[in-house]
Amino acid sequence: MNNGLKGQSHHVADIKMFPTFVRSLPDGSENGEFLALDLGGTNFRVLLVRLQGHEIDIQSKTYLIPQRIMLGTGTQLFDHIADCIGKFVSEHDLLNHSLPLGFTFSFPCQQEGLAKARLSKWTKGFRCEGVVGEDICELLQEALKRRTNCKVEIVAVVNDAVGTLMSAAHVDRNCEIGLILGTGCNACYMEYLDNVGTWKHDDEKDHHPRQVIINTEWGAFGDNGCLEFTRTEYDRELDTFSINPGKQVMEKMISGMYMGEIVRLVLERLANEGLLFRSVDHESALFERGRFYTKYVSEIESDTDEFFRHTKQVLDELQVENYTTEDCKIVKYVCTLISARAAFLAAAGLATLINRLNKQDMTIAVDGSLYRFHPRFHNLMCLKIKELVKPGLKFKLSLSHDGSGKGAALTAAVSLRLRSLKPLPTDSSQHSLTTQETVSVRA
Ligand code: GLC
């Protein structure tokens, strides 16, 4: 983490520790009507968020991003997003409204302003051509111009971890860490600017507290080989067949996009060695890559008696025949090992941040389907964090609802308020926030 923060080592560091332009947390006085976008999980969502202090009304619609678009060109991706926004805006009768938009874009970005973020690499299932190195706000704004006639202006781009933190901090002042355990895994936290060697933005004149939210991008921990001592043959096989081999090593040991597949690889080997499902047919989906979903792990681990109702349901879905109760026990045991390893790794990362911040009482806002639906993840993490934090530090993991939508809207709200405090730019090409713009409300 220190390597990522330092100017001299940032370019070779695996954990990038990107400074966002979010400099302080919301205070509950944010108001207005906003569009928010959420791109980076299994679905793409468009949201209409109405903020009135602590009251929030959210309407949203989920759109599919077909795989051909996830692996197509950037233009196709942003045109698709713009089309969805266009439909949403006209369905909600908002075509004539000027709407500020907060964009939750959950990929590693080097931010140059609150509404200027260059993609540093794709992660999870995305690999769209022509986007790495580009400002994604500009790409989206151009697509909106091309494909719609809505009056939408992107005023903030945030990572999902940052959105989660913003959204929780809106109601809990002890919250200074955001964590995502979903399709991917990532964390952010509030850092003092004096520790951020990569922060190059002149802030002599501003009155923000000298701190900024850091998007750690810790999913890339291990990309330099430092986790080899604990990776297994299953981790290596999963990596070889992924679309980004060698990248996001820690994320691949933890998050929802991969956990089911690791379980499947273990079960496949046990079956091939005759230790499980003695008469399994190789046509079964158990032998197909990507067919054992992480939600199965959560379902299987929620079986608490000898009837194995969920486990049997999953095995039936995978067309495994003639399994025994002993097989069910083994399948569940494998799931518990792999999810516990994931929870412990995530806990190790969190404990590092908690120790670093060194505050007496700390709330960690958590979002993501893995954390939400897995029956033991929360408890396993708490157990391990307790072992790893400095004595006397108290912490609480708290589920954050709709961080992506609400967090993006809150960030957008704050940025607009800031803008209204400043003289409008005279150059019409500078219609968006300048690169010096940051968000601060609590100061
Ligand atoms: C991946 C992305 C990161 C995101 C996380 C959770 O790690 O690189 O930006 O926050 O997934 O969605």
Side-chain angles (χ1 to χ4, degrees):
M1 287 186 182
N2 286 333
N3 285 344
L5 289 172
K6 282 187 204 140
Q8 319 86 289
S9 46
H10 173 83
H11 64 290
V12 288
D14 283 324
I15 306 188
K16 284 293 181 203
M17 308 293 276
F18 290 118
T20 64
F21 276 68
V22 186
R23 296 279 305 279
S24 190
L25 304 169
D27 65 359
S29 68
E30 294 71 27
N31 281 322
E33 188 176 54
F34 301 87
L35 272 189
L37 294 188
D38 181 9
L39 179 74
T42 36
N43 291 311
F44 162 63
R45 288 186 314 151
V46 184
L47 307 94
L48 177 64
V49 185
R50 292 192 176 99
L51 296 174
Q52 185 141 54
H54 283 293
E55 286 189 15
I56 296 186
D57 174 56
I58 300 184
Q59 294 173 50
S60 69
K61 190 155 179 180
T62 300
Y63 300 85
L64 216 74
I65 303 248
Q67 191 149 36
R68 75 183 153 77
I69 289 190
M70 287 166 83
L71 303 175
T73 67
T75 311
Q76 286 165 336
L77 173 70
F78 286 101
D79 280 354
H80 178 69
I81 294 176
D83 290 344
C84 298
I85 297 174
K87 271 189 232 151
F88 184 91
V89 165
S90 84
E91 276 165 25
H92 285 79
D93 255 341
L94 293 167
L95 267 177
N96 296 318
H97 291 221
S98 287
L99 288 167
L101 183 146
F103 188 3
T104 301
F105 183 74
S106 307
F107 300 95
C109 286
Q110 185 95 52
Q111 285 204 228
E112 291 172 15
L114 198 51
K116 194 169 173 87
R118 295 188 188 280
L119 177 66
S120 97
K121 66 175 179 197
W122 285 114
T123 53
K124 298 172 278 189
F126 285 73
R127 195 179 52 199
C128 302
E129 223 178 87
V131 188
V132 171
E134 301 297 320
D135 171 11
I136 54 118
C137 293
E138 205 176 300
L139 296 182
L140 177 59
Q141 199 78 62
E142 279 166 9
L144 281 166
K145 240 189 268 165
R146 247 191 333 265
R147 310 284 286 207
T148 72
N149 50 1
C150 9
K151 296 189 235 155
V152 172
E153 186 194 350
I154 308 161
V155 296
V157 56
V158 287
N159 183 267
D160 52 356
V162 178
T164 298
L165 172 56
M166 287 295 273
S167 153
H170 190 227
V171 284
D172 179 346
R173 293 240 166 180
N174 286 334
C175 190
E176 290 196 28
I177 299 179
L179 172 69
I180 300 289
L181 288 162
T183 307
C185 173
N186 189 19
C188 71
Y189 72 104
M190 191 58 98
E191 177 63 277
Y192 293 107
L193 277 184
D194 293 343
N195 297 332
V196 189
T198 49
W199 182 260
K200 293 284 177 284
H201 308 282
D202 165 34
D203 59 344
E204 302 274 289
K205 300 171 283 320
D206 76 32
H207 302 290
H208 302 296
R210 291 195 47 78
Q211 51 182 18
V212 66
I213 296 183
I214 297 289
N215 169 18
T216 66
E217 287 294 334
W218 75 15
F221 186 47
D223 289 12
N224 66 357
C226 69
L227 284 175
E228 286 318 300
F229 75 96
T230 188
R231 283 174 85 215
T232 64
E233 63 184 88
Y234 311 106
D235 297 312
R236 294 197 180 92
E237 177 161 1
L238 173 133
D239 183 58
T240 306
F241 288 92
S242 68
I243 65 163
N244 53 351
K247 301 278 179 244
Q248 300 297 100
V249 168
M250 180 162 99
E251 176 161 88
K252 285 174 178 158
M253 297 169 87
I254 297 179
S255 76
M257 179 153 180
Y258 311 101
M259 188 191 288
E261 177 63 6
I262 300 180
V263 170
R264 192 194 68 79
L265 288 168
V266 178
L267 299 180
E268 184 177 59
R269 172 160 165 205
L270 292 176
N272 284 338
E273 292 188 1
L275 297 165
L276 183 69
F277 312 134
R278 290 201 177 223
S279 60
V280 71
D281 175 356
H282 273 72
E283 294 296 297
S284 152
L286 182 70
F287 296 95
E288 254 175 66
R289 285 188 200 284
R291 279 300 304 278
F292 197 105
Y293 310 122
T294 298
K295 71 170 184 165
Y296 291 164
V297 179
S298 295
E299 286 164 12
I300 290 170
E301 286 191 56
S302 62
D303 278 338
T304 49
D305 54 32
E306 72 280 18
F307 300 114
F308 291 104
R309 190 168 67 84
H310 294 103
T311 309
K312 287 178 177 166
Q313 218 170 330
V314 169
L315 293 177
D316 291 343
E317 230 168 274
L318 295 170
Q319 306 115 35
V320 176
E321 283 161 11
N322 306 323
Y323 50 80
T324 61
T325 304
E326 195 59 24
D327 288 331
C328 292
K329 266 191 212 160
I330 295 173
V331 169
K332 184 176 166 195
Y333 180 60
V334 170
C335 290
T336 60
L337 293 179
I338 289 168
S339 62
R341 182 185 72 154
F344 291 168
L345 277 168
L350 262 191
T352 308
L353 287 182
I354 295 170
N355 285 338
R356 183 181 181 95
L357 294 178
N358 204 21
K359 301 247 160 90
Q360 278 307 310
D361 268 304
M362 172 76 68
T363 305
I364 296 111
V366 195
D367 203 353
S369 47
L370 178 59
Y371 180 80
R372 199 178 282 274
F373 298 119
H374 190 280
R376 303 186 315 140
F377 224 82
H378 172 90
N379 289 350
L380 286 166
M381 282 182 74
C382 290
L383 272 177
K384 188 53 84 184
I385 296 171
K386 267 189 211 137
E387 272 177 40
L388 298 174
V389 291
K390 294 181 199 161
L393 295 190
K394 289 202 203 115
F395 66 91
K396 184 172 88 189
L397 301 189
S398 146
L399 180 66
S400 161
H401 290 280
D402 214 351
S404 306
K406 189 177 141 192
L410 278 170
T411 317
V414 177
S415 88
L416 282 190
R417 196 166 67 194
L418 264 176
R419 188 188 301 190
S420 71
L421 299 175
K422 296 193 172 179
L424 285 172
T426 43
D427 176 356
S428 61
S429 66
Q430 287 190 339
H431 66 286
S432 336
L433 292 167
T434 69
T435 55
Q436 302 297 319
E437 210 84 48
T438 54
V439 159
S440 172
V441 260
R442 227 193 237 173

